[in-house]
């Protein structure tokens, strides 16, 4: 930056909350324990997001359940977490870091989600992200692929308090599904959607050993990282085009450079989350990607996130 250039305004947005930067951690890696969450609070992550919680603590699925791959990872963690009461109890200490705390909630039933959302509505959490898309629990289909159950869940969960809530959505692959889900979601007072969760129930095989890469569910697991960036971009774009402006779209999937974050910005994301890259690199990814994004926007003559948001050009 030379002396005449102003720094780019990199603030992101989720519903009523303005973030100090455009990126923060996704629910998933390195955000389960208080120690990990405090570390996130002291990093450049713009918010502290927790691992999805359940009613009772869970050890998660059998190992090996995470495998790094050349362009990302496959995993079937199985919701390992401390149980929602542990996160309620540590919230005052997490809040002391001075940035928004987002609680990810992933009940195994609507009754579980109702209990947890009610509890966090009465807490000092800033935002709730309700996970409608965990692909890794045997016998529990992803809620976001079932319109009827999604409607039933929202009918209840949207009446439990005033704190802004958002939904973590699975990836969709058909225009009719984007249309149907967006039509449904805009009937509810939600503040944001997060697109996308891992691409569920994929299979990666080691041809040498002729074995599936991970143990749970016979090797079926969520695909993450670079492999899924085009899917994440498409989902952000599709929901941004269909949802009213009062609902922010948060991008996640394969962001490991400032250029990746910029692509999500062009697609219309109000902020982005980092998962696999944070797992591999640790908290330094937030400074690095923020710096790269700032330099890219500066070089392109954008003064702020807002100027570039949704400005994707198409060829028609
Ligand atoms: O813990 C997991 O296995 C997991 C969850 Br809750 C999720 O929402 N998405 C994912 O890929 N893994």
């Amino acid at each position: 930056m030379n002396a005449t250039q102003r720094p780019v305004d990199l603030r992101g947005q989720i519903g009523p909350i303005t973030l100090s930067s455009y990126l923060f951690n996704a629910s998933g890696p390195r955000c389960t324990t208080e120690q990990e969450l405090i570390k996130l609070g002291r990093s450049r992550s713009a918010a502290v997001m927790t691992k999805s919680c359940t009613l009772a603590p869970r050890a998660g699925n059998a190992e090996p359940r995470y495998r790094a791959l050349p362009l990302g990872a496959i995993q079937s963690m199985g919701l390992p977490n401390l149980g929602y009461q542990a996160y309620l109890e540590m919230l005052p200490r997490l809040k002391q870091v001075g940035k928004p705390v987002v609680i990810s909630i992933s009940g195994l039933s609507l009754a579980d989600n109702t209990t947890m959302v009610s509890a966090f509505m009465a807490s000092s959490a800033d935002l709730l992200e309700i996970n409608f898309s965990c692909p890794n629990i045997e016998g529990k289909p992803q809620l976001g692929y079932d319109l009827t159950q999604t409607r039933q869940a929202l009918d209840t969960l949207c009446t439990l308090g005033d704190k802004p809530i958002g939904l973590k959505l699975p990836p969709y692959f058909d225009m009719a599904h984007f249309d149907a889900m967006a039509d449904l979601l805009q009937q509810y007072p939600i503040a944001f959607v997060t697109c996308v969760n891992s691409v569920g129930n994929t299979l990666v095989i080691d041809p040498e050993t002729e074995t599936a890469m991970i143990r749970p569910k016979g090797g079926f697991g969520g695909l993450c990282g670079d492999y899924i960036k085009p899917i994440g971009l498409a989902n952000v774009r599709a929901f941004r085009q269909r949802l009213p402006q009062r609902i922010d779209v948060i991008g996640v999937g394969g962001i490991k450079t400032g250029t990746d974050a910029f692509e999500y910005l062009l697609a219309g994301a109000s902020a982005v989350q980092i998962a696999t890259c944070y797992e591999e690199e640790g908290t330094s990814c937030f400074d690095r990607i923020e710096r790269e994004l700032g330099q890219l926007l500066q070089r392109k003559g954008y003064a702020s996130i807002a100027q570039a948001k949704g400005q994707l050009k198409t060829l028609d």
Side-chain angles (χ1 to χ4, degrees), residues 19-309:
L19 301 172
S20 63
S21 92
Y22 191 60
L23 41 140
F24 60 106
N25 72 297
S27 181
R30 299 178 188 242
C31 58
T32 303
T33 65
E34 181 165 345
Q35 192 184 17
E36 290 169 329
L37 292 163
I38 295 284
K39 192 166 178 191
L40 276 164
R42 294 184 179 143
S43 77
R44 282 296 304 177
S45 177
V48 175
M49 165 75 86
T50 68
K51 172 69 184 169
S52 293
C53 63
T54 49
L55 219 50
R58 287 174 60 90
N61 291 339
E63 309 264 3
R65 59 191 188 185
Y66 179 97
R67 278 298 185 91
L69 301 171
L71 298 175
I74 184 170
Q75 50 73 31
S76 180
M77 305 305 289
L79 264 169
N81 77 95
L82 305 179
Y84 83 107
Q85 277 160 332
Y87 298 101
L88 267 181
E89 195 272 323
M90 72 174 80
L91 247 174
R93 298 188 293 283
L94 299 183
K95 287 286 294 180
Q96 276 175 12
V97 300
K99 57 178 69 164
V101 176
V102 192
I103 301 287
S104 173
I105 294 172
S106 194
L108 302 180
S109 67
L110 178 53
D112 288 7
N113 273 333
T114 303
T115 301
M116 291 189 283
V117 170
S118 301
F120 285 109
M121 280 290 174
S123 77
S124 58
D126 296 279
L127 295 155
L128 309 184
E129 185 184 86
I130 311 174
N131 188 354
F132 275 24
S133 48
C134 175
N136 296 332
I137 306 298
E138 287 219 63
K140 295 279 174 200
Q142 293 162 83
L143 204 62
Y145 286 139
D146 184 325
L147 282 177
T148 306
Q149 283 202 44
T150 295
R151 182 186 293 282
Q152 280 167 0
L154 290 174
D155 280 342
T156 300
L157 300 176
C158 289
T159 63
L160 300 176
D162 294 335
K163 229 176 255 304
I165 65 173
L167 301 183
K168 177 87 166 268
L169 295 177
Y172 300 95
F173 300 94
D174 194 288
M175 292 300 174
H177 294 167
F178 292 135
D179 290 341
M181 187 50 71
D183 279 352
L184 178 62
L185 294 178
Q186 61 191 287
Q187 296 168 31
Y188 293 91
I190 57 174
F192 66 100
V193 292
T194 303
C195 303
V196 293
N197 209 318
S198 63
V199 176
N201 298 302
T202 62
L203 180 62
V204 181
I205 294 171
D206 179 346
E208 277 311 310
T209 62
E210 305 175 15
T211 310
M213 285 281 188
I214 55 172
R215 186 183 306 276
K217 286 177 74 177
F220 288 85
L223 191 65
C224 313
D226 300 11
Y227 300 107
I228 73 166
K229 189 178 78 171
I231 299 167
L233 287 170
N235 276 259
V236 167
R237 173 79 167 163
F239 280 103
R240 185 63 290 154
Q241 287 175 319
R242 286 163 176 76
L243 292 175
Q245 288 302 316
R246 69 175 170 83
I247 303 179
D248 283 311
V249 181
I250 311 302
V252 53
I255 298 166
K256 64 178 188 191
T257 66
T259 304
D260 297 325
F262 179 62
E263 291 171 15
Y264 273 90
L265 176 58
L266 291 175
S270 300
V272 294
Q273 301 176 351
I274 318 292
T276 308
C277 176
Y278 168 50
E279 165 73 20
E280 300 296 326
E281 183 178 332
T283 51
S284 65
C285 72
F286 301 109
D287 318 42
R288 179 182 58 73
I289 300 172
E290 184 184 345
R291 192 170 57 249
E292 291 169 359
L293 177 62
Q295 286 166 352
L296 181 58
L297 288 173
Q298 186 106 55
R299 180 165 66 72
K300 286 175 163 287
Y302 289 109
S304 67
I305 290 290
Q307 273 187 359
K309 192 172 137 189

